[in-house]
Amino acid sequence: YTYGLELTNKITLFKLWDLTLNGNLFNSIINSESAEGTTRNQRLSWFAKMNNSFTLPAGFSLQLSFDYHAKTVLPNNPDQGNNHGGFGNQELGTAQGYIAPHYSVDGAIKKDWKWKGGNTASFIVSVNDIFATDRYRTYSQTPFMIQNSSSLRNPDVVRFTVSYRFGKLEKSLFK
C-alpha cells in the first residue's frame, strides 16, 4: 500500500531565473505472509526535485536539476516503483528490504537561433548525473539469505540535440 502527497511550485526569482520545486511525501506498507509467519515493512519516505532554468544573453539558456530520493521500502514487484534494474540487477521483491537514499545533478545548455519567417533552430548539450552520484543500492533479507546490490545508473551520459523548426505555428488550428 502506498499513499502520499505531492506538491509542485514554479517561482520566478528574477527575470532571468525560474525555479521549479517538486516534493513528494509518501508512506509505503508491504505485508507478506509465508510458512515462517508474517512480515510487515513500513516506511514514511520522500523525494524532491529542484529545477533551475536561467536565461542567458545571446540566445543561450542553462538548466540545472537536483534530484534526491530518501530511503524507501523495496518494491514488492520489481516491475513497479523505483526499479532501476536491468540484466544482472534484479532486486528480490520482499517485505524485508529497502532502497538506500540516492541523488543526482543534471545539467544542460541550449543555444537558440531565430530567423525571419519564423524559422528557428536549437542546439542542446545535456549531461545526466554530472558527479556520478546516482548509485542505486538495495538491501534485502530473508531467513535464508542477505542480498546487497549496487549499480551506477547511466554513468557519463552526454546528449547532443539539434532541432530546426520552420514556418509559423498557426494558433487558429487548435481552436
Side-chain angles (χ1 to χ4, degrees):
Y1 303 97
T2 302
Y3 57 90
L5 172 70
E6 182 172 14
L7 300 172
T8 302
N9 191 19
K10 183 175 180 181
I11 306 162
T12 300
L13 296 173
F14 299 100
K15 183 180 177 183
L16 304 175
W17 182 13
D18 285 331
L19 175 66
T20 303
L21 300 171
N22 175 269
N24 192 313
L25 178 67
F26 60 97
N27 191 40
S28 295
I29 303 167
I30 297 177
N31 296 318
S32 79
E33 208 170 302
S34 69
E36 274 113 41
T38 60
T39 303
R40 179 181 174 95
N41 191 354
Q42 178 177 355
R43 182 171 301 278
L44 183 64
S45 188
W46 62 279
F47 64 85
K49 184 165 188 164
M50 178 175 60
N51 187 27
N52 295 279
S53 296
F54 302 94
T55 303
L56 304 173
F60 283 95
S61 58
L62 174 70
Q63 189 174 71
L64 292 171
S65 297
F66 176 76
D67 192 12
Y68 179 85
H69 292 259
K71 185 177 181 179
T72 188
V73 298
L74 188 60
N76 201 26
N77 180 347
D79 293 328
Q80 296 175 352
N82 287 326
N83 177 34
H84 302 298
F87 181 74
N89 184 28
Q90 296 298 320
E91 299 89 25
L92 176 64
T94 178
Q96 299 131 325
Y98 62 83
I99 300 169
H102 56 102
Y103 65 95
S104 68
V105 177
D106 301 335
I109 190 158
K110 175 179 169 184
K111 168 65 174 152
D112 286 320
W113 292 273
K114 295 181 182 180
W115 296 283
K116 292 180 182 177
N119 298 348
T120 62
S122 299
F123 178 72
I124 303 168
V125 177
S126 62
V127 181
N128 286 36
D129 196 16
I130 295 170
F131 304 110
T133 55
D134 197 8
R135 206 163 278 287
Y136 183 76
R137 297 182 323 265
T138 63
Y139 172 83
S140 182
Q141 180 178 354
T142 73
F144 309 104
M145 56 145 246
I146 295 175
Q147 176 182 333
N148 284 298
S149 71
S150 178
S151 64
L152 183 59
R153 293 190 56 218
N154 300 325
D156 303 326
V157 174
V158 178
R159 290 183 182 87
F160 299 95
T161 306
V162 177
S163 64
Y164 180 75
R165 294 165 299 282
F166 52 92
K168 282 189 173 181
L169 178 65
E170 184 60 46
K171 294 179 184 176
S172 64
L173 293 172
F174 299 102
K175 290 184 179 179

